[in-house]
Amino acid sequence: MLVSSTKYWVVLLHILNNVSFSDAGSDASYDTCDENSIPSSTSPSNLTPNNFHKICPGTYDSSKPLSQPICGDGTAFSFYYHKPAQRYSNKDKFIVEFQGGGACWDENSCNKQQGLLTFPTDLDGFVGYSCSEVNYGMDNYGGYPINLLCADTIGDMDLSEYNYIFVPYCSQDVHMGDSSSTYSDDDGGNGVYHHGAHNMMGALNWIYKHFPNPSHVFLTGCSAGGTVLPVAYDLINNHYNSFLKGGRTVNINTIIDSAVYLTPAYFLEYGIDNWNPWTILEKTAFPYDEYKYTVQYSTRLWEHVLRRGSNNDKWGFVTHTNDPVSIAYWQAMGGGYGDDDDNDNDDEGTWSSDLENSLSTIQDEFSNVDVFYIDGQGHCSFGLQYALQEDGFEEFAENIIQEQQLVKKTSSSAPLFALSFILGSLLVLTASLAKAQNEDNYDDSHDFADMNDDDSSEARTKRPRWLPKFFRKKKQSRHQGDVSQSYSDDFLPERGYDTRSKAASALDNVTDRLIEFFGALVVYSERFEKCPVTAGLFLATTLYFILMLIYGGFAHPLNNPALGPPAQALSTFGINNPTLIVMKNQIIRLFTSNFLCSGVITYLMYLGCIFKCMRHIEAALSSTLVFGMACFIIAFGSNLIYTLFGQGASCGSLALVLGINVFSIVMSKKISGSFPRPWGSTFWQMLFAITLFPFNSWIMIVSAMVLGGFVVPLAIENDNFYGAQKETDKISKTPLKVIGGVYSLLFILILANVPRPNDIYQHPYLTGCSMMYTPDLDSVQEAFGGRRKLGDYDGLCAQFCVPHLISKPFYWSVSGYTEYGLYQGTCPDMGYTNHVADKTMTFYGYSLDVEGYYLADDDGGN
């Protein structure tokens, strides 16, 4: 498969947006938001994980299209967002579910639906609870059974890993309206805001801003919430998968549950214009004027969306063979008109036949659409509730929802690492060339003075003194018009009467500019000629570190005492994680980890080693190649060793510079010279790093120091010390072959999955903490108080992850000085395999995920 690279410029734009001084949502008004809601300007990163949050999108100036979210009776509109538990925290996957609840389009229908034109404040009961708590503690909503997908597992799909956005319904226009209608002239008459399209765009715009580069999107909705899904799909697909944003990289799958699908001609002629859905349909490029009065309107709209979408995006349609709710709305819209008025007309049969024919038409043309019929009478509820009770539906749904790898997705940090690495490599190259030029001491007659009438010494000093001979000769031949100096035997006349094509002349001009630019870089890089590798490494690591902080922000100091980003951001940017390297074949981490600092403190330690020691060590060696090879041996070797024997995650930058420090100490004893001897700083930095900073493993640091102190010196031959002759340092071939052989063997062992790291670290969050559990029933019940009693379960267990920095003191203090039984490990390891619910609790700004389990043979008395 192809690797998506152009897509990642979206991430760069997102980073620039985050650091800009202006807030894109600063012109929004939140005056109508209620006390339970949070302004949409709030970033998800600032919200408590594993909790429902009510997000108010605010309103904008009325001149901005679809920017006035409001409910039908004028109450404020909000949507709900559930952030996954910390172990699943991501910006890659999200579910959008649209609520159903009928429709109205005239005075009579809106009178009947009056109670559904106001915001459903009962949903505020979700706020502050996790998905699993709501599923566990709430039997139904509005008389319908409730099932929240964000706490569900469908086949092998664990939907609790997804960000979940629930869009309430209070506009009675199938989420597509853009009008304000008055259906009665009487005082207090039915003035209705059909602003469903405004409400939907309020939610989608928030999603676009905070999820800039997702990999998988799942859309679903019940009844009226299912009717809007083709339009919602097209909007999301056009936003993420447009050509200008890198092409198709986001997989969007959809399940429509019991949509009010059929549209009788009477409704299309006399009712739908009251909603004015044409504003939102214009965004889909649907030619609604051509189909707005045909009963095949819904089918034509869906066909249009499917043609604009991808065959890799799967669709499912779920319906009962007899759906009284859909039939009632079909009749109210005029379905069955034209039949005789006898009471025995078969509206149910007509509706069922028309629906089946319409869906068959879609299925015949599009192979990515499938239909699941539920035999019998029924409608729908939250989260595919009724359908999931049917045999065979779970397999059907898993096949639809399963993420399709449209392209081989790489980490969102890929373009950022490439940028950092290329700039660092360019600095190494130009500084090395400047060093080579000064050592070769070219004669002034070979400089740029020959190319210009200005032969002053001042002019020569301002020009680059080094260029590859090919470019230098080529430029000389063109400007002097001397065939004898040309790099070719071809005749090139002087510029004054040049007979070459304009294209060739333009190419020469471009070449001249590139030569001058590259030469200027070489001149600038002369200041780093004594330490090219150190300078390049410093530039790449610093830029990558800054970009990582902008992208990931700062974690709580308990989670990252080095004052850096959370474990998820470190993982995204390529920290060495043996579990992901071995089980997911993410070999690139062996390389990227060497450019990662775990936080501000470790970066400052790294910086001290660079400026106090490393640059002097490189200057003490006469060969840039030798120093570069020494860095490679230490960096790659320590990462291989950590992957084989380590657990969790570790950065490699600090280990590399500490290994170089030890190398310098050994070389200073082996050879008299100017190698620094940073005994004290190396020891104390090693001690602080392995004791206080969890993302700097002692295995990686110690292995790097051993490699720097014992292996690298064996690979370097030094006949005369620095300054005596040029090129006195070189790599010894025999030790290098041995090192290469050993490293190759270790690498093969990793590829063969010989190491067995703990698979729990497939969740990056858990690399920064230690799992512990307690089977103490009272403490578990207290933690989950306020919902259905957990006393029904005899064997209950709660597990949580304690930050490495305090894990041992916490374990010793709780075990030794309290009555609670606390153990290291997880509940499932001890037989508590049935998940009840989970909850995130916050103490002084620190969030702790607590998961409740019960014994496999305990059904809770149900």
Side-chain angles (χ1 to χ4, degrees), residues 137-202:
M138 182 177 286
D139 292 325
N140 66 81
Y141 173 81
Y144 288 93
I146 189 170
N147 176 64
L148 294 181
L149 291 171
C150 47
D152 214 344
T153 299
I154 297 180
D156 293 330
M157 295 283 297
D158 186 358
L159 300 183
S160 65
E161 299 180 5
Y162 283 65
N163 294 273
Y164 176 71
I165 297 94
F166 184 80
V167 183
Y169 182 46
C170 57
S171 55
Q172 291 296 294
D173 53 12
V174 296
H175 295 276
M176 293 168 57
D178 177 30
S179 74
S180 299
S181 300
T182 300
Y183 295 119
S184 173
D185 294 330
D186 299 335
D187 291 337
N190 295 322
V192 177
Y193 293 97
H194 291 302
H195 275 215
H198 298 248
N199 300 342
M200 176 171 61
M201 290 308 303

Side-chain angles (χ1 to χ4, degrees), residues 417 421 574 587-595 632 636 639:
F417 178 76
F421 181 74
I587 303 298
I588 190 65
R589 293 179 181 274
L590 295 171
F591 183 67
T592 54
S593 66
N594 297 296
F595 297 86
F632 174 80
F636 192 56
N639 274 274

Side-chain angles (χ1 to χ4, degrees), residues 11-53:
V11 180
L12 291 172
L13 291 179
H14 178 62
I15 287 176
L16 292 176
N17 179 63
N18 285 342
V19 299
S20 62
F21 291 102
S22 62
D23 182 2
S26 59
D27 56 342
S29 171
Y30 300 101
D31 294 340
T32 60
C33 301
D34 62 37
E35 65 277 4
N36 294 321
S37 62
I38 300 170
S40 60
S41 56
T42 306
S43 170
S45 61
N46 296 326
L47 300 177
T48 302
N50 203 25
N51 271 268
F52 267 103
H53 303 275

